[in-house]
Every structure is written in C-alpha cells, then in structure tokens.
Amino acid sequence: MRTLYHHPLSTQSRLVRLAMNEKHLVADEREEPYWLRRGDLLSLNPSGDVPVLVEEDGEIICGGRVICEYLEDESPEVSLLGATPKARAETRRLVDWFDSKFCTEVTQFLAGEKLYKRVALGEVPDSRAMRAGRENIHAHLEYIAWLTDRRSWLAGDALSLADLAAGAHISLVDYTADVPWSDHPLAKEWYVRLKSRPSFRPLLSEMFPGVAPAAVYADLDF
Amino acid sequence: MRTLYHHPLSTQSRLVRLAMNEKHLVADEREEPYWLRRGDLLSLNPSGDVPVLVEEDGEIICGGRVICEYLEDESPEVSLLGATPKARAETRRLVDWFDSKFCTEVTQFLAGEKLYKRVALGEVPDSRAMRAGRENIHAHLEYIAWLTDRRSWLAGDALSLADLAAGAHISLVDYTADVPWSDHPLAKEWYVRLKSRPSFRPLLSEMFPGVAPAAVYADLDF
C-alpha cells in the first residue's frame, strides 16, 4: 500500500488527503510532526516538509500540489483538475490563490498563530497578526461568493482541486471559529456543500491536543 | 497573437518567457510594472501579479506555473515536464524547490534587495538580508551539483521546467554577480550549458535602468 506522511496542521497535507478521498485512493497515513525536521522525513524529502507520498515500489513524491498533479496523472478516472486546458488553468490559478494569497493573508495569521504556534511550538499567538487575519478574510469570502454565484463550484461546474485547496485552508481557520460565516451567506452555502462530502469526514473528526475545536467545526448544519 | 504581460524583475515572468522560447511559441510581450498594481493588470488578474497570458480569443491565463502547465497542455510537442507521471512529479518538485525555498532563502535576499528594492521601490538594500542570501546560496549550488552529477539536467536526462525555474532565479541573482561560481564548478558547468541556449538570449540582453549588469551576466564563457 502507499504511505502518506502528513500532518493535520499542514494545509498541503489536508489538500492531498481530501483529493485522495475524492479519488477513492487509500494510503497508510502516518502523522509526521514536520517542524521537528526528523532525519527520516529529511531522507524522504530534502525540503523537510509534508506531505510525502511513498509508492509501493519505493518511489517518493513530495509536496501537496506535486502529489495532486501526480495522482491526476496516475488515476484520472475521477478528475479534479478539469477537462480542458483552460479549465485546468482556472483550477490551478485558484489552487495557487489559496496556497499563496489566502495562506499569507489569512491562514498564517489565524491558524498559524492559534494552532501551529500553540500545538507545534508551544508559543503564545500574536494578537496583531490575528487582527490582520480577521480583517483580511472578508475579501476572500466575498471572492468565494462572487465565484460561486456564477459557477456551481469555485473553478467551474464540477468540484475541483480549487474547492479542496480552499477547504484545506478554511477548515483549519474554522477549527477556532474564525470564519465570519454569518456575514457571508453565499460563501457559507458553498462551504456547507463542501464539508458535507464524505471526503471531509476524516479530517473533521480529528482534534489538536490542547485545543478543542469550535462547535461549528464539524457541524454540517452550522 | 498571444499577449504576455511580464516583467524582467519577476522570476515567474522569466520562467514563462524561457519556457515559451524553448517551445518556439511567440507572444506580443508587454512589460508591466506590477508593483504599481495598475487597474489594467488587476482587471486581467485579481491577484495583481505578472505574468499574465492573454490568448487571441481573450482567454486569460494567470501565474507562472499555471501558464507553463497550460502551454504544456496546449503545445506538448516540445515537452518541458517529462514523459511519465514520476518524471513530471520530479520536475514539479524542483520547480517548487526554486520557487519556494530558493526564492525565500536566496532570491529575495539578493535580487529582492539589490534589484527589486532599487528599481521598483527606490529603496536602499538591507546589508543583513544580503549577507543571509550570500550564505544560503552555497547549499543550493551544492544541491545543483549533486543533481547534475547524477543526471544530465536537474530533473532527469532532458532539459525541463526545473532547469528553467532554477535559471529564472539564478540569472536574476547573477545580474549583480552574487553567484559564487568559482566555489561551485559543477553547478557552473550546468549553468554554462543552460545560459548558452538560444532561449536565454533575449533575457540576457535586457538591462535594469540605473543598475548595470555584472560583466559575468551575459558572458557565455565566464
């Protein structure tokens, strides 16, 4: 069986697990505290990061988007990229949007401070950073509403990696109830549909030691 | 004809121009000072960044890696990703290596300080940042030597986007003579081969106003 080294704090790990669940692919999942930069992980991935997928033949595939593209190449039956070059470009643009812009403007300021710092480093969150994250998230939720007002899902009329990348980030921010859902009903409608999918269930049942999830986190009817 | 909005200070723009040259694709190239966040650019790409490719039919493709994947989909005759899923995964892993690790550990500290700050912002470079970049670059040049000691090019036996991504970053750092080539003969041997390719010629002939390139920059026999 494949082995997936991952961690629930890593949005790239969450993305790969969601994609594998959507594609009905299984792996032996091993939680790896990547911030410790253990030798075993470094020998698999010189960048020292998760996720890492190890194939049965020993082949090693490193990195969230790299693994997702690889699985799309290897198992195209359930496509998460799109049918045409232009559809795939739109999916990839939005994956990058969440992995770059949303990540630096929201995820790092909220989940980075409230979860990663506490769980991984044992540090106290910075209230200025959290305030910035709470301000920045509104524009992103408006963008989600704008997109899903025109399309069924973020990148088009089918669920794609764009939704899963967004879900990977937003679910982590939602763990501490930092998504202002009541101000953004259209974005909420999209997220209700997304988190109700069976692919989300394993992630929503996990807890970080020492930080209880908000009531809204795993609630499908929030 | 296609239109490519780009800027020589943007490593993602350099990557796309190199990839298009290798694939013998032409575009009407328009230099866009992306840091000004002009309305025209924002209307094409809500993230406000270059490169942006506009197709003849008006379709807009945003972002360096997104455009490269799109061109690979649309024009696979000259492949820059690789023939198998595993080869493509290795190419993408190394593209991410240069766009993430090399970028934050080297490019931003050297080209970011010495070129972007001066040309785009009119600011003075930070000597501490430059010192960090000059220290960090050694490990990356050793990694290039390690890879090219085992393979003809970075990701395998054919030139790929991995070499072009590395070249996009390194050529910018080399503009101000900040690559310690004499300490890294194997990496230098790879870069001599890379920069001698016709795809590099247009980039090496460009100059940033107010900052003359180092003698080594466009020299193919340095």
Side-chain angles (χ1 to χ4, degrees):
Chain A
M1 199 194 280
R2 287 170 158 147
T3 307
L4 180 69
Y5 295 85
H6 76 103
H7 197 280
L9 279 175
S10 144
T11 54
Q12 294 302 299
S13 297
R14 295 170 87 85
L15 169 64
V16 168
R17 290 171 73 207
L18 292 169
M20 290 188 76
N21 293 347
E22 287 289 340
K23 290 170 95 72
H24 312 296
L25 301 172
V26 289
D28 176 14
E29 297 192 346
R30 303 210 189 148
E31 220 174 283
E32 173 66 35
Y34 52 99
W35 55 89
L36 300 179
R37 297 182 65 79
R38 300 199 288 201
D40 288 0
L41 178 61
L42 283 169
S43 69
L44 291 173
N45 183 4
S47 83
D49 213 352
V50 287
V52 176
L53 183 71
V54 182
E55 291 284 47
E56 267 190 356
D57 66 2
E59 195 77 25
I60 301 161
I61 318 289
C62 303
R65 92 165 176 93
V66 178
I67 295 171
C68 288
E69 295 271 0
Y70 170 77
L71 294 174
E72 199 73 11
D73 270 351
E74 283 279 7
S75 307
E77 303 79 24
V78 177
S79 171
L80 294 172
L81 270 174
T84 65
K86 281 167 186 166
R88 288 192 281 278
E90 180 64 353
T91 301
R92 290 177 175 128
R93 178 182 78 83
L94 286 166
V95 170
D96 279 1
W97 179 281
F98 287 97
D99 286 344
S100 302
K101 269 185 92 65
F102 191 93
C103 185
T104 53
E105 295 173 5
V106 179
T107 314
Q108 289 182 356
F109 286 146
L110 291 169
E113 294 294 325
K114 296 176 83 167
L115 292 174
Y116 182 78
K117 264 197 180 174
R118 210 179 298 177
V119 175
L121 310 178
E123 289 178 7
V124 176
D126 174 358
S127 60
R128 264 195 7 200
M130 292 189 290
R131 208 156 42 236
R134 286 197 193 102
E135 268 178 38
N136 294 343
I137 198 171
H138 289 287
H140 288 279
L141 294 169
E142 281 165 21
Y143 191 42
I144 287 172
W146 189 88
L147 290 168
T148 53
D149 200 28
R150 284 155 181 80
R151 310 161 168 178
S152 305
W153 295 95
L154 292 185
D157 285 331
L159 177 96
S160 76
L161 283 178
D163 301 282
L164 303 183
H169 285 269
I170 288 174
S171 62
L172 208 51
V173 174
D174 201 37
Y175 188 94
T176 49
D178 281 300
V179 184
W181 292 121
S182 57
D183 297 340
H184 300 277
L186 278 175
K188 179 178 171 176
E189 189 272 329
W190 160 82
Y191 191 60
V192 168
R193 276 190 289 136
L194 186 64
K195 82 190 259 198
S196 303
R197 295 180 75 86
S199 63
F200 262 73
R201 241 174 257 155
L203 279 78
L204 298 180
S205 68
E206 290 168 349
M207 293 189 192
F208 296 111
V211 192
V216 72
Y217 177 63
D219 183 2
L220 298 183
D221 190 27
F222 60 105
Chain B
M1 199 196 280
R2 290 171 156 145
T3 307
L4 180 70
Y5 296 84
H6 77 102
H7 197 280
L9 278 174
S10 144
T11 54
Q12 295 300 299
S13 297
R14 295 171 86 84
L15 169 64
V16 167
R17 290 171 73 207
L18 291 170
M20 291 188 75
N21 292 347
E22 287 289 340
K23 291 170 94 72
H24 311 297
L25 301 172
V26 289
D28 174 16
E29 297 192 346
R30 301 206 193 153
E31 220 174 284
E32 174 66 35
Y34 53 101
W35 55 89
L36 300 179
R37 297 179 65 79
R38 301 199 288 201
D40 288 359
L41 178 62
L42 282 167
S43 70
L44 291 172
N45 183 3
S47 83
D49 213 352
V50 287
V52 176
L53 183 72
V54 182
E55 290 284 48
E56 267 190 358
D57 65 3
E59 195 77 24
I60 300 161
I61 318 288
C62 304
R65 92 166 176 92
V66 178
I67 295 171
C68 288
E69 295 271 359
Y70 170 78
L71 294 175
E72 199 72 11
D73 271 351
E74 284 279 7
S75 307
E77 302 78 25
V78 176
S79 170
L80 294 172
L81 270 173
T84 67
K86 281 166 186 166
R88 288 192 281 277
E90 181 64 354
T91 300
R92 289 175 175 129
R93 178 183 77 82
L94 287 166
V95 169
D96 280 1
W97 179 281
F98 287 96
D99 285 344
S100 302
K101 271 186 93 65
F102 191 93
C103 185
T104 53
E105 294 174 5
V106 180
T107 314
Q108 288 181 357
F109 287 146
L110 291 169
E113 294 294 326
K114 297 177 83 168
L115 292 176
Y116 182 78
K117 264 196 178 173
R118 210 180 297 179
V119 175
L121 311 177
E123 288 178 8
V124 176
D126 174 357
S127 60
R128 264 194 7 199
M130 291 190 290
R131 209 157 39 235
R134 286 198 194 102
E135 266 176 40
N136 294 343
I137 199 171
H138 289 287
H140 287 280
L141 295 169
E142 280 164 22
Y143 191 41
I144 287 172
W146 188 89
L147 290 167
T148 52
D149 200 28
R150 284 154 181 80
R151 312 161 167 177
S152 305
W153 295 95
L154 291 184
D157 285 331
L159 176 97
S160 77
L161 282 178
D163 301 284
L164 303 184
H169 285 269
I170 288 174
S171 62
L172 209 50
V173 174
D174 201 37
Y175 188 93
T176 49
D178 281 299
V179 184
W181 292 119
S182 56
D183 297 341
H184 300 276
L186 277 175
K188 178 178 171 176
E189 189 272 329
W190 160 82
Y191 191 59
V192 167
R193 275 190 290 138
L194 186 64
K195 82 189 263 198
S196 303
R197 295 179 75 85
S199 63
F200 263 71
R201 240 174 259 153
L203 280 79
L204 297 180
S205 68
E206 291 168 350
M207 293 189 193
F208 295 111
V211 192
V216 73
Y217 178 61
D219 182 2
L220 299 182
D221 189 28
F222 61 105

